[in-house]
Amino acid sequence: MLKTTISPIFSSFTGKPRTSRFIFKAFKVVLQDAPPSARRNASTNLTTLHQGPPTSAYVHLPFCRKRCHYCDFPILALGTSSSSSTKPSYVYEEGKEDDPRITNYVNLLVREIKATSTDFDARPSLETVFFGGGTPSLVPPKLVSLVLETLSSSFGLSPDAEISMEMDPGTFGAQKLKELMELGVNRVSLGVQAFQDELLKACGRAHGVSEVYEAIKLVKDCGVKNWSMDLISSLPHQSLDMWEESLRLAIESQPNHVSVYDLQVEQGTKFGNLYTPGQSPLPSETQSAEFYKTASSMLRGAGYEHYEVSSYSRDGFKCRHNLIYWKNKPFYAFGLGSASYVGGLRFSRPRRLKEYTSYVADLEKGAANWCGNGDVNLKDVATDIIMLSFRTSKGLEVKDFGEAFGSEVVKSICRVYEPYVESGHIVCLDDMRREVLSGEFKTLVANDEVKIEDHVRYLRLSDPDGFLLSNELISLAFNVIAS
Amino acid sequence: MGSMYRASKTLKSSRQAFSFLFNSLKSNRRDPLCIGLYQTYDFSSDSRQSSREPAIDLTQFPSEKIRNFSIIAHIDHGKSTLADRLMELTGTIKKGLGQPQYLDKLQVERERGITVKAQTATMFYENIVKDQEASGFLLNLIDTPGHVDFSYEVSRSLSACQGALLVVDAAQGVQAQTVANFYLAFESNLTIVPVINKIDQPTADPDRVKAQLKSMFDLDTDDCLLVSAKTGLGLEHVLPAVIERIPPPSGLSDSPLRMLLFDSFFNEYKGVICYVSVVDGMLSKGDKVSFAASGQSYEVLDVGIMHPELTSTGMLLTGQVGYIVTGMRTTKEARIGDTIYRTKTTVEPLPGFKPVRHMVFSGVYPADGSDFDALDHAMEKLTCNDASVSVAKETSTALGMGFRCGFLGLLHMDVFHQRLEQEYGTQVISTIPTVPYTFEYSDGSKLQVQNPAALPSSPKYRVTASWEPTVIATIILPSEFVGGVINLCSDRRGQQLEYTFIDAQRVFLKYQLPLREIVVDFYDELKSITSGYASFDYEDAEYQKSDLVKVDILLNGQAVDALASIVHSQKAYRVGKVLVEKLKSFIDRQMFEVMIQAAIGSKIIARDTISAMRKNVLAKCYGGDITRKKKLLEKQKEGKKRMKRVGSVDIPHEAFQQILKVS
């Protein structure tokens, strides 16, 4: 029965950004917190959100001194520098950074951006730019400037755009940081990962704790207000004491944003070869869960809002760029291995430099497509929205979801989630974000007459219990969508 | 050992035991799926006659020129090989042509070296008997299943015979099935011709076997034929002995037609083929016949003999054994043991068979949980050809839609599952086999239970009494293992009835055991205790009063119907504990703590918990690249699809398979 109800809604449509982008104008949903550019298209709803022109761009700068033991990103390791300095080779020295590999890559990147021609009716300026890596802070400011200029001339760059850059301790000095800020970089994401030398060494980081303190001081001295600190939990040999120490020191250094990632042991990485998740020297599942809970309670206790499964911020310092991802809004992506989401299609660029180089050449010749091919499958859109919105503390907007995909789907999801509302893994909220208690929720679900959306506005995962089991909970909803 | 309907026999690991014998996997002629073969087989009956052989004139064979006999033996004592040799000897099949074990037509029979369905072959034999002139004899060899799980097949085959060759391995001597089969034949008043086979083996000891036959069955040692079916040694004496010692059928040729229906099978082209033995009178093609039990009437469209393929003869005379085709659609219309007579005549029905008694029940469910239609289709095809299985649809909350099947015994069940998988390509999960129990309540009502889940855990009225079926088990074993076997039997609540020495080395044990106790792993245990040297057989005995309880398995308080069992109260704790442990090892951590309990009514007798999953969290979707994470979630979703949900607990389908298999 459910199947027949959904099937007309979950059909495919061709997602070419160039043609009729607002097919679903019939659904009128106003996204209250949409950025100004999107607000002009007030008739978008969840199924068409990705159809508009992107106002965000991810730029991949893949260079690293060396590969960290857990990393499986597309990076280019530069190796030990030829510096005759007695300092360790990875330690930053001003002026020693004109590596031709970087220059060549940035030139290629600039060509890619230029070859990306859009024909959206509206041409809103970019509101967020995110330099990710690799270690973007290894790239000389003048090359960063070139990238920003190119973006600006291709798409426009809003004057109040958030421009973030990932920076690693030991790869920048005061002068470089100042230059970058002058270019417009206004948000720094500092890859600290841990406050213990032995842990940093064990995971192959190219810096120690002293570089961490140095970097924090630099960021603060240069007046970067909007900065974030990255930490990794569940590292090999990491104890709860160590983790608490890292969190404490992180809080003491007062970033306005903290990202906490649970170590993922990926195949093909050094860790993947050495370790099995849940087994020594990696912490057990229970310890790992404890780390997550500790982070949540300590950071929230220090005034940070746990607004996304791995992100914490102080008031007004959420990462605007990342929020684009969680809201399933479109974004450009440029550079090696980067993934874009334009016109409802996700597209990943080649992960190897050689293939990426020919891709850019093809793009220039018009022989390649920069946003991917194929049809947009509405079931995919639905699962994307579920998966992404459940990452956030705001949760899934049940009403919008129901309008986009049908009330029956909402009902089915609620039915599946009922035991988890009771167990406290999932929280239901009304219009005013007041909690709808499990007894009431049960009654609503049981009553066939009731439209859940009239009573429940949001479903979200609880913090930390729901967040900790997000894969399980999300795949339950996937099951509903698939059936 | 009186019952002809000794239903079952547990031989769980018969696969290992027999598979080395013959692995010939050639096509199965009786399988309706082998269309190509079927056609040859069907057309050959007429074409062969016209081109190469003169049409068989059965009128040359009055009763006194007919011998109907079967071969009975313990498994692997050489019954099928002897049958092959006799057919070669009479030119019924050509030597070296065709496949060994000619009469074993089912794939499962060849693989296991066992006979499941009885077959029949008519042979013509020229012989000079004492002072009589050289004259042709018509010999009907009615093959029987060696295994006593199929003893109802043995019985029905024997009822069409006047004598039997009792084949005994010269080295192994008398075994449990030798005893069982001997008594079946003896009680059918058959003349028994003892044949000591495999005398070419270095370990053969015919004198010892003769002594055993004498002491156990009071058979005359001088009457024993010594042969090797393998080398052909002594074979020439077999058929003369059949003709001399076994009496001809004693029917009356002048009386109205009476035939015994002793087997049937389904042929996709001809419909049901009925195997009949003409007791009195004669039958011709075109005759109208009626079936006494079913009351149905049919026209005889074809009649003939199995030579060994179906060969039309246009008629069957008194004492002869053959087939008829009547256009009947399903074997359900052909009740084995029914009397067939000429329509519009009045005859006294022959003593028929009692209906088959199903002693082992098990639920059969599609393995992947969804494909019920395919299973339904396969079950229908298979039961169309095997009327000995009872089938009823049932629904399990844990396993979905399926069937409750009644079997004659464990081997029968095993063979049925194997045929489902081999011949119809259907993967199944079967629940723990159970036996039929009777419960009586304080209000005087009685309940027959074939599925433990159907027994109320908290009944309205108190259970005042319960009964379970028992068997009389025969075990023959080398004396050095007697201690272990006695321990095993007493652990299985057995009562010793007899303990005798067959000879200096071998012991004959007789026990009354609850059927439930031997249904699952008794034979495996027995084999391991005796290093495989014990033979075992059993026959149904009466129900006995017993202290039975239902053990429920609960997940977070909710009963899992497919795992419920009925056991003796003394064993309940052990059974409960084992099931709880097994379940724990197969269920993954869930979002909640999962409590596994075994309970009798509201009393918890074993428990364990699976602690809740602690962490299963999305990692970062770096740079907005969500594709990999999504794949992972899709995979996780697919995993959930394969789960069976009981309450809020997900149980992998594989877990059921494992738990039910090893129990």
Side-chain angles (χ1 to χ4, degrees):
Chain A
M1 189 185 130
L2 180 60
K3 199 167 187 173
T4 51
T5 331
I6 309 179
S7 54
I9 303 171
F10 282 130
S11 54
S12 307
F13 60 86
T14 308
K16 292 210 174 89
R18 295 168 184 79
T19 50
S20 53
R21 283 173 299 279
F22 303 112
I23 311 161
F24 290 90
K25 281 187 180 168
F27 302 111
K28 295 207 186 280
V29 180
V30 181
L31 288 163
Q32 323 230 300
D33 56 352
S37 55
R39 206 168 287 147
R40 284 190 300 251
N41 307 319
S43 63
T44 49
N45 99 335
L46 290 177
T47 56
T48 57
L49 209 50
H50 54 268
Q51 296 278 307
T55 57
S56 294
Y58 173 81
V59 180
H60 194 63
L61 298 172
F63 303 99
C64 286
R65 285 289 184 213
K66 55 186 272 208
R67 187 180 280 276
C68 301
H69 297 343
Y70 51 79
C71 170
D72 73 336
F73 292 137
I75 66 141
L76 299 167
L78 296 172
T80 43
S81 93
S82 53
S83 165
S84 56
S85 160
T86 50
K87 278 184 165 184
S89 61
Y90 53 75
V91 172
Y92 171 74
E93 292 171 79
E94 301 273 3
K96 291 262 179 194
E97 52 196 8
D98 283 301
D99 193 309
R101 288 174 290 184
I102 300 183
T103 317
N104 292 343
Y105 174 82
V106 170
N107 286 334
L108 193 61
L109 180 69
V110 163
R111 279 167 57 202
E112 186 198 356
I113 298 170
K114 283 180 179 161
T116 300
S117 56
T118 62
D119 58 356
F120 289 106
D121 299 338
R123 297 187 62 85
S125 303
L126 295 176
E127 296 292 333
T128 73
V129 174
F130 195 101
F131 289 103
T135 312
S137 47
L138 285 173
V139 176
K142 62 173 191 280
L143 294 178
V144 174
S145 165
L146 180 60
V147 175
L148 283 172
E149 276 165 26
T150 315
L151 284 173
S152 177
S153 64
S154 284
F155 308 104
L157 197 53
S158 169
D160 60 353
E162 174 195 273
I163 301 175
S164 309
M165 181 177 277
E166 292 186 330
M167 304 182 90
D168 274 2
T171 61
F172 63 93
Q175 189 195 329
K176 188 177 195 175
L177 185 54
K178 273 182 195 141
E179 277 178 53
L180 288 169
M181 289 182 70
E182 277 158 24
L183 294 172
V185 174
N186 51 22
R187 186 173 179 276
V188 167
S189 172
L190 197 61
V192 170
Q193 320 309 5
F195 279 90
Q196 295 77 21
D197 269 324
E198 64 271 35
L199 292 188
L200 291 172
K201 203 173 166 208
C203 55
R205 294 290 294 176
H207 63 84
V209 175
S210 60
E211 283 80 21
V212 167
Y213 287 118
E214 227 169 85
I216 293 170
K217 189 168 183 298
L218 278 170
V219 169
K220 288 187 158 179
D221 289 350
C222 289
V224 183
K225 259 191 86 186
N226 191 353
W227 72 282
S228 174
M229 184 187 289
D230 282 1
L231 293 175
I232 301 182
S233 64
S234 302
L235 289 168
H237 306 290
Q238 191 174 37
S239 66
L240 186 59
D241 283 349
M242 291 178 186
W243 179 235
E244 282 175 347
E245 181 186 50
S246 285
L247 287 166
R248 190 171 44 78
L249 294 170
I251 291 165
E252 275 172 17
S253 50
Q254 296 190 308
N256 280 317
H257 189 282
V258 179
S259 293
V260 177
Y261 298 114
D262 185 65
L263 179 75
Q264 299 287 299
V265 178
E266 305 284 358
Q267 267 189 336
T269 63
K270 192 167 180 185
F271 276 5
N273 297 334
L274 288 174
Y275 307 133
T276 310
Q279 286 179 22
S280 178
L282 294 177
S284 68
E285 196 186 290
T286 309
Q287 284 175 301
S288 203
E290 214 44 55
F291 289 173
Y292 187 89
K293 288 180 181 173
T294 305
S296 174
S297 73
M298 281 180 72
L299 288 167
R300 285 192 292 161
Y304 292 87
E305 182 191 345
H306 193 180
Y307 73 99
E308 191 262 338
V309 73
S310 49
S311 309
Y312 298 81
S313 78
R314 285 177 165 165
D315 270 356
F317 288 96
K318 288 177 187 165
C319 177
R320 278 162 58 195
H321 182 84
N322 284 344
L323 283 174
I324 295 291
Y325 301 155
W326 316 140
K327 287 176 181 166
N328 204 37
K329 288 184 187 176
F331 53 91
Y332 296 111
F334 304 105
L336 190 71
S338 63
S340 60
Y341 182 49
V342 181
L345 298 172
R346 300 198 182 266
F347 176 67
S348 292
R349 278 136 204 83
R351 287 172 67 94
R352 300 168 80 123
L353 191 55
K354 202 179 149 207
E355 280 91 34
Y356 173 66
T357 308
S358 15
Y359 162 76
V360 172
D362 287 347
L363 207 59
E364 286 169 328
K365 282 184 279 183
N369 186 325
W370 59 271
C371 61
N373 285 310
D375 291 342
V376 176
N377 179 322
L378 278 186
K379 282 194 179 187
D380 283 342
V381 177
T383 46
D384 282 2
I385 289 167
I386 286 172
M387 158 177 166
L388 294 169
S389 44
F390 273 138
R391 291 186 69 108
T392 65
S393 61
K394 187 179 164 206
L396 179 70
E397 279 224 37
V398 174
K399 200 170 166 224
D400 298 352
F401 194 82
E403 283 185 41
F405 303 106
S407 259
E408 270 310 302
V409 187
V410 171
K411 193 97 181 190
S412 302
I413 291 175
C414 287
R415 221 171 273 139
V416 166
Y417 278 166
E418 197 197 289
Y420 308 104
V421 172
E422 202 183 328
S423 63
H425 289 99
I426 290 180
V427 183
C428 307
L429 301 166
D430 68 7
D431 270 358
M432 312 296 291
R433 290 193 77 80
R434 286 174 307 217
E435 191 170 343
V436 179
L437 296 173
S438 81
E440 194 187 336
F441 182 72
K442 210 166 186 165
T443 320
L444 293 171
V445 172
N447 189 340
D448 289 337
E449 308 292 306
V450 167
K451 198 171 163 192
I452 303 258
E453 301 95 293
D454 293 344
H455 305 269
V456 175
R457 179 69 187 275
Y458 303 94
L459 286 178
R460 70 173 187 86
L461 305 189
S462 64
D463 179 13
D465 293 337
F467 276 151
L468 265 169
L469 296 176
S470 52
N471 281 10
E472 278 293 306
L473 292 161
I474 291 168
S475 53
L476 284 172
F478 274 30
N479 226 345
V480 172
I481 303 292
S483 58
Chain B
M1 293 217 176
S3 169
M4 292 212 298
Y5 305 100
R6 300 172 318 139
S8 27
K9 150 100 166 94
T10 179
L11 241 194
K12 197 173 178 201
S13 54
S14 49
R15 201 171 315 213
Q16 301 94 286
F18 309 141
S19 60
F20 66 90
L21 261 186
F22 282 101
N23 274 321
S24 162
L25 294 179
K26 294 205 179 118
S27 303
N28 162 13
R29 280 152 210 264
R30 279 181 108 171
D31 181 350
L33 296 176
C34 296
I35 291 161
L37 263 168
Y38 246 108
Q39 285 171 338
T40 5
Y41 155 49
D42 277 348
F43 295 143
S44 70
S45 57
D46 293 76
S47 61
R48 179 156 53 168
Q49 271 172 258
S50 52
S51 59
R52 283 183 282 126
E53 290 174 44
I56 294 164
D57 178 11
L58 291 181
T59 59
Q60 292 175 18
F61 303 99
S63 290
E64 61 268 24
K65 294 288 171 105
I66 297 171
R67 297 294 183 271
N68 296 324
F69 71 103
S70 65
I71 307 176
I72 52 178
H74 187 77
I75 186 84
D76 203 16
H77 281 197
K79 180 173 66 81
S80 295
T81 312
L82 180 61
D84 285 355
R85 289 296 100 81
L86 296 181
M87 284 191 285
E88 284 167 16
L89 212 68
T90 53
T92 312
I93 56 171
K94 293 219 166 58
K95 194 170 179 177
L97 287 181
Q99 44 207 355
Q101 287 182 288
Y102 192 89
L103 298 177
D104 289 342
K105 290 176 178 179
L106 299 176
Q107 182 183 346
V108 57
E109 294 178 326
R110 295 174 177 287
E111 280 187 357
R112 294 173 172 229
I114 58 173
T115 303
V116 173
K117 290 286 281 181
Q119 303 283 335
T120 298
T122 298
M123 306 180 286
F124 298 99
Y125 187 63
E126 298 295 324
N127 189 31
I128 298 166
V129 184
K130 291 189 180 160
D131 303 329
Q132 292 181 30
E133 287 174 29
S135 52
F137 279 84
L138 186 152
L139 308 178
N140 289 308
L141 165 56
I142 295 156
D143 192 20
T144 62
H147 209 281
V148 186
D149 237 20
F150 305 100
S151 66
Y152 81 108
E153 291 260 5
V154 177
S155 303
R156 71 167 84 153
S157 305
L158 294 182
S159 65
C161 300
Q162 286 73 45
L165 301 179
L166 178 67
V167 176
V168 185
D169 184 301
Q172 289 187 20
V174 170
Q175 296 294 325
Q177 284 160 38
T178 318
V179 179
N181 280 321
F182 169 81
Y183 281 105
L184 279 180
F186 186 75
E187 281 149 17
S188 306
N189 286 317
L190 302 194
T191 302
I192 288 159
V193 179
V195 179
I196 298 174
N197 189 22
K198 307 193 188 183
I199 56 166
D200 60 307
Q201 293 178 99
T203 52
D205 187 357
D207 290 338
R208 187 176 137 243
V209 178
K210 279 183 189 173
Q212 289 177 350
L213 289 171
K214 175 73 185 159
S215 75
M216 296 207 59
F217 310 133
D218 199 24
L219 290 169
D220 198 330
T221 47
D222 296 334
D223 288 346
C224 293
L225 302 175
L226 299 182
V227 306
S228 165
K230 193 173 136 204
T231 64
L233 188 64
L235 273 185
E236 68 279 10
H237 302 302
V238 175
L239 291 176
V242 165
I243 289 164
E244 282 163 29
R245 297 190 208 170
I246 295 174
S250 61
L252 307 167
S253 51
D254 302 334
S255 294
L257 172 71
R258 281 204 302 175
M259 297 191 290
L260 178 72
L261 171 60
F262 70 90
D263 201 3
S264 67
F265 71 92
F266 183 78
N267 173 312
E268 198 152 294
Y269 298 95
K270 294 193 163 187
V272 176
I273 312 265
C274 296
Y275 282 5
V276 295
S277 147
V278 181
V279 177
D280 297 321
M282 70 160 291
L283 173 79
S284 301
K285 186 176 173 178
D287 285 354
K288 295 266 194 315
V289 292
S290 295
F291 285 60
S294 71
Q296 298 289 315
S297 298
Y298 306 88
E299 183 184 338
V300 176
L301 304 174
D302 187 15
V303 55
I305 57 173
M306 291 68 86
H307 184 47
E309 307 298 359
L310 303 187
T311 308
S312 289
T313 56
M315 62 167 67
L316 282 176
L317 303 179
T318 309
Q320 291 171 352
V321 171
Y323 72 91
I324 61 169
V325 174
T326 62
M328 196 183 273
R329 290 297 177 82
T330 83
T331 50
K332 290 182 185 99
E333 294 171 60
R335 294 193 204 165
I336 305 305
D338 205 351
T339 302
I340 307 172
Y341 60 98
R342 196 178 311 282
T343 308
K344 287 180 183 154
T345 61
T346 316
V347 297
E348 178 73 17
L350 297 160
F353 301 158
K354 293 174 208 155
V356 162
R357 264 174 72 193
H358 296 110
M359 295 310 288
V360 178
F361 290 85
S362 148
V364 174
Y365 293 86
D368 69 354
S370 57
D371 208 359
F372 176 75
D373 289 343
L375 176 64
D376 190 24
H377 187 66
M379 291 287 279
E380 205 178 308
K381 285 193 106 168
L382 197 53
T383 51
C384 174
N385 211 350
D386 185 356
S388 58
V389 182
S390 75
V391 174
K393 276 186 189 157
E394 72 173 11
T395 305
S396 151
T397 49
L399 299 171
M401 294 237 284
F403 298 92
R404 175 118 313 236
C405 297
F407 302 98
L408 305 164
L410 252 259
L411 180 69
H412 184 213
M413 181 178 82
D414 223 16
V415 164
F416 184 81
H417 289 157
Q418 202 182 339
R419 289 187 68 187
L420 260 182
E421 296 196 354
Q422 280 179 347
E423 298 173 32
Y424 301 100
T426 309
Q427 295 284 319
V428 299
I429 291 184
S430 61
T431 60
I432 303 167
T434 179
V435 301
Y437 297 104
T438 306
F439 287 83
E440 189 180 288
Y441 294 95
S442 57
D443 66 339
S445 63
K446 281 192 180 177
L447 181 67
Q448 277 275 352
V449 179
Q450 296 172 355
N451 177 355
L455 181 70
S457 302
S458 310
K460 223 160 97 191
Y461 297 99
R462 197 168 48 84
V463 172
T464 48
S466 49
W467 290 267
E468 63 180 329
T470 64
V471 296
I472 304 288
T474 302
I475 302 164
I476 294 178
L477 73 161
S479 51
E480 72 241 54
F481 301 119
V482 161
V485 172
I486 287 176
N487 283 341
L488 172 68
C489 290
S490 78
D491 181 55
R492 300 304 174 101
R493 302 187 279 131
Q495 229 192 320
Q496 197 180 82
L497 304 178
E498 206 178 323
Y499 178 170
T500 48
F501 280 85
I502 296 177
D503 55 29
Q505 294 100 45
R506 297 185 78 79
V507 169
F508 174 94
L509 288 177
K510 210 164 163 183
Y511 267 89
Q512 178 158 22
L513 285 155
L515 175 59
R516 208 255 169 215
E517 297 291 337
I518 61 164
V519 123
V520 178
D521 56 357
F522 182 81
Y523 190 61
D524 283 344
E525 284 282 310
L526 181 67
K527 279 205 313 184
S528 92
I529 291 171
T530 62
S531 309
Y533 284 111
S535 69
F536 165 69
D537 201 353
Y538 68 83
E539 62 180 306
D540 282 356
E542 68 275 17
Y543 270 61
Q544 75 179 13
K545 215 166 189 178
S546 187
D547 185 10
L548 300 170
V549 292
K550 179 186 183 187
V551 176
D552 280 310
I553 298 297
L554 308 144
L555 289 178
N556 284 350
Q558 190 149 350
V560 187
D561 57 1
L563 299 179
S565 54
I566 294 172
V567 296
H568 191 268
S569 62
Q570 283 171 6
K571 300 247 172 133
Y573 286 83
R574 206 200 297 172
V575 168
K577 192 164 168 272
V578 167
L579 274 172
V580 166
E581 273 169 15
K582 270 178 189 157
L583 210 50
K584 186 181 180 180
S585 69
F586 287 117
I587 296 179
D588 293 329
R589 283 181 162 200
Q590 320 254 316
M591 270 184 269
F592 308 107
E593 183 177 87
V594 176
M595 187 167 55
I596 311 171
Q597 293 165 311
I600 302 171
S602 55
K603 187 176 154 206
I604 305 301
I605 55 169
R607 61 174 295 156
D608 210 333
T609 48
I610 299 170
S611 58
M613 180 193 292
R614 303 308 299 269
K615 187 192 81 170
N616 195 340
V617 63
L618 280 174
K620 62 177 182 176
C621 292
Y622 187 81
D625 190 355
I626 67 165
T627 44
R628 254 167 75 191
K629 224 59 240 184
K630 207 172 166 190
K631 260 185 208 156
L632 196 131
L633 286 167
E634 290 286 347
K635 213 171 127 191
Q636 202 156 339
K637 175 201 84 186
E638 289 306 316
K640 293 209 176 300
K641 271 192 188 166
R642 287 198 306 273
M643 299 281 189
K644 287 290 178 189
R645 181 157 265 243
V646 175
S648 58
V649 181
D650 289 325
I651 310 175
H653 225 288
E654 297 76 23
F656 275 104
Q657 235 155 349
Q658 292 303 317
I659 292 164
L660 297 175
K661 194 169 78 189
V662 295
S663 283

